Amino acid sequence: MAFALFLLYVVFTFLRPVDLFAPDLAHLRPMLWLWLLAFLSAALTAMSRREIAAPPVYLGLLLAFTVAIGLSLVVNGWAGGAMVAVGDFSTSALLLVLACLNITSLRRLQLTLTTVVLSMLTVAALAANAFHTGFRADELVLRQGTGDEADLLSAGFNGVPADDSSGLFLWRVRGLGILNDPNDLGQAIVMVLPLLLLGWQQRRLIRNLLFIAAPTALLLYTLYLTHSRGAILGVGAMMLMGLRRVIGTFKTGLLAAFGGIGVLAVGFGGGREFSTQEASAGQRIDAWYDGLQMFRGQPLLGVGYGNFTNFHDLTAHNSFVLCFAELGAIGLLLWVALLLIPFRELGQVSERSGRGSREAAVAEALRTSMVGFMACAWFLSRTYQPLLYLLLALCISAAWSARRAAAHSGDGPWPAVPWAAPTVGAAFASVLMVYAFIVIERSTG
């Protein structure tokens, strides 16, 4: 019962059927009631079984990060906003907890991954259909450009974005709810692609064409229709991760470094933007620079959750910049630890579960998803977004399930992965990389 409710909540999170087909019911807040029912059922089940996939250290870090969000406003003179900020972030934090309460076995994890993939395929199909037919285009296609309705009418626009030949607008597909921004839809597709490829089976050509290749083509086409540069970079990062297994980490790192410099020189140095209304690359770099100044001015707890735009006209356009600017070094260290621990634990699963095992395959797919997702997040402000915390929950549950299966098989307990020193190193590296991007862009711009 509890797990079924959780899967239903996942479907509703991606598809938002009430918003799409029954918006008049929105005032009844069906998503909230479904979440409450799912959470209470999962909590009661977890208490009776005395199990939750998230280890205590991870729950402690999540709680500490939530507290840091509230304290960041308290130390900046707005104690009244602390509870509002914590309540705002609780949507993401409790989604992670809800997932970890429910995904307590490899079978449940696989069912959840299948649900996520099928939900995203449905979202992609609806978005692509809206672009080509105009059905629900008002909700599922974003129009960007300098023109207005009069320009559209004079160009003979028939309501179908694909048929617009005026050249005045950029049409970008999107979803609803947490996928309402085209960049969020693109990032979600990047996350799902490796999970879909988990279904590939050797010597099953027809099946693979129908159930893997065709859905992958749909996702990639929808990704193109989002016109999200961050998503394209995310796909590139996942390809580099796959290449690392062939040519090694050092050579892949060099290739990534040269590729990053090329992106800076070509794209950030004044290359063509996808959107006429989107902030230019130079403005993004200015936002990163101002984020560094906020960090220098308030190094411990930052300028406060949600306060970045009080000091700069645009959002940070970088999840790491947003984190250290608003939450300081304390928030950055906690957030990086939340990212790093499951990633390293999945690496341990890949090493110890045995080549070709299902646990290792799932672990590698989720690690690849995380690499792609965070590559997108480097150019998007997604520090607190629910989708990130759902992905983290999937990673945590995968590592926990593999550890438990190994213990039951007599393999013995696996050693805990070291994370404190790597967290400090990764947090410092993120700040250094932001600074390097700024220096390189301004020297080539």
Side-chain angles (χ1 to χ4, degrees), residues 22-70:
D24 293 341
L25 298 179
H27 70 282
L28 298 177
R29 306 191 71 181
M31 285 292 293
L32 175 62
W33 290 109
L34 177 59
W35 179 87
L36 286 172
L37 186 59
F39 194 87
L40 288 174
S41 300
L44 290 173
T45 302
M47 284 189 291
S48 65
R49 296 181 177 179
R50 296 185 178 181
E51 64 177 8
I52 178 174
V57 64
Y58 206 90
L59 293 176
L61 287 168
L62 182 64
L63 177 61
F65 184 67
T66 305
V67 171
I69 286 174

Side-chain angles (χ1 to χ4, degrees), residues 121 124 128 189 193 196-197 208-225:
L121 285 171
I189 291 173
L193 281 170
L196 174 59
L197 295 178
N208 290 335
L209 286 175
L210 290 176
F211 298 108
I212 306 299
T216 298
L218 172 62
L219 289 177
L220 289 174
Y221 178 62
T222 307
L223 179 65
Y224 164 74
L225 292 179

Side-chain angles (χ1 to χ4, degrees), residues 58 241 336-352 363-364 366-367 370-371 392 395-396 398-400 403 414-426:
Y58 206 90
M241 185 173 182
V336 169
L338 290 172
L339 301 174
L340 191 67
I341 293 176
F343 188 80
R344 291 176 65 87
E345 286 187 338
L346 288 177
Q348 185 184 59
V349 172
S350 297
E351 293 173 2
R352 299 184 67 108
E364 280 304 308
L366 284 169
R367 274 166 62 91
M370 199 167 175
V371 166
L392 290 178
C395 296
I396 295 165
W400 187 87
R403 282 170 169 266
W414 292 354
V417 298
W419 59 271
T423 292
V424 175

Side-chain angles (χ1 to χ4, degrees), residues 417-437:
V417 298
W419 59 271
T423 292
V424 175
F428 176 76
S430 69
V431 178
L432 188 62
M433 284 179 64
V434 169
Y435 178 75
F437 266 68

Side-chain angles (χ1 to χ4, degrees), residues 36-388:
L36 286 172
L37 186 59
F39 194 87
L40 288 174
S41 300
L44 290 173
T45 302
M47 284 189 291
S48 65
R49 296 181 177 179
R50 296 185 178 181
E51 64 177 8
I52 178 174
V57 64
Y58 206 90
L59 293 176
L61 287 168
L62 182 64
L63 177 61
F65 184 67
T66 305
V67 171
I69 286 174
L71 286 178
S72 71
L73 291 175
V74 172
V75 299
N76 281 282
W78 190 28
M83 291 307 298
V84 176
V86 169
D88 184 51
F89 177 68
S90 67
T91 301
S92 299
L94 292 177
L95 177 58
L96 185 153
V97 176
L98 175 63
C100 290
L101 285 171
N102 281 282
I103 310 173
T104 54
S105 68
L106 180 61
R107 178 178 174 275
R108 287 192 168 195
L109 176 63
Q110 290 177 309
L111 287 172
T112 304
L113 295 180
T114 300
T115 301
V116 170
V117 170
L118 291 176
S119 297
M120 278 302 303
L121 285 171
T122 305
V123 172
L126 289 171
N129 180 69
F131 179 77
H132 284 284
T133 69
F135 179 71
R136 298 286 184 178
D138 287 345
E139 298 99 337
L140 299 176
V141 184
L142 178 67
R143 186 187 76 204
Q144 293 183 323
T146 57
D148 55 24
E149 293 292 336
D151 295 318
L152 274 176
L153 294 175
S154 64
F157 182 62
N158 61 0
V160 179
D163 293 341
D164 177 26
S165 59
S166 67
L168 298 173
F169 303 98
L170 179 70
W171 301 90
R172 305 178 67 192
V173 299
R174 58 182 177 175
L176 296 174
I178 63 173
L179 304 178
N180 188 245
D181 186 286
N183 292 315
D184 287 322
L185 177 56
Q187 190 175 34
I189 291 173
V190 168
M191 181 189 86
V192 164
L193 281 170
L195 308 182
L196 174 59
L197 295 178
L198 271 174
W200 184 272
Q201 294 184 6
Q202 295 291 337
R203 295 183 293 276
R204 298 288 299 276
L205 178 62
I206 302 301
R207 179 193 177 277
N208 290 335
L209 286 175
L210 290 176
F211 298 108
I212 306 299
T216 298
L218 172 62
L219 289 177
L220 289 174
Y221 178 62
T222 307
L223 179 65
Y224 164 74
L225 292 179
T226 66
H227 295 294
S228 173
R229 291 162 298 175
I232 294 172
L233 291 172
V235 172
M238 293 192 300
M239 293 175 66
L240 283 173
M241 185 173 182
L243 189 62
R244 178 180 62 88
R245 303 187 190 110
V246 179
I247 67 174
T249 301
F250 180 73
K251 291 180 180 178
T252 303
L254 287 178
L255 186 61
F258 285 119
I261 293 173
V263 168
L264 286 170
V266 176
F268 277 71
R272 183 179 64 87
E273 299 290 332
F274 281 130
S275 168
T276 56
Q277 289 185 338
E278 189 173 2
S280 70
Q283 289 176 313
R284 288 174 184 253
I285 292 297
D286 289 342
W288 296 5
Y289 176 80
D290 284 349
L292 281 176
Q293 302 313 304
M294 296 176 210
F295 183 41
R296 288 181 60 188
Q298 299 281 357
L300 288 182
L301 282 165
V303 298
Y305 175 87
N307 284 346
F308 190 94
T309 52
N310 291 344
F311 298 87
H312 187 83
D313 293 339
L314 303 172
T315 187
H317 289 294
N318 183 304
S319 298
F320 290 87
V321 173
L322 186 67
C323 186
F324 64 64
E326 291 191 345
L327 306 181
I330 293 175
L332 178 65
L333 287 169
L334 292 170
W335 188 66
V336 169
L338 290 172
L339 301 174
L340 191 67
I341 293 176
F343 188 80
R344 291 176 65 87
E345 286 187 338
L346 288 177
Q348 185 184 59
V349 172
S350 297
E351 293 173 2
R352 299 184 67 108
S353 293
R355 187 180 181 89
S357 70
R358 193 60 181 169
E359 288 85 356
V362 171
E364 280 304 308
L366 284 169
R367 274 166 62 91
T368 304
S369 289
M370 199 167 175
V371 166
F373 192 96
M374 294 313 299
C376 298
W378 186 258
F379 297 100
L380 299 171
S381 299
R382 300 296 183 264
T383 311
Y384 319 109
Q385 198 227 32
L387 191 60
L388 169 60

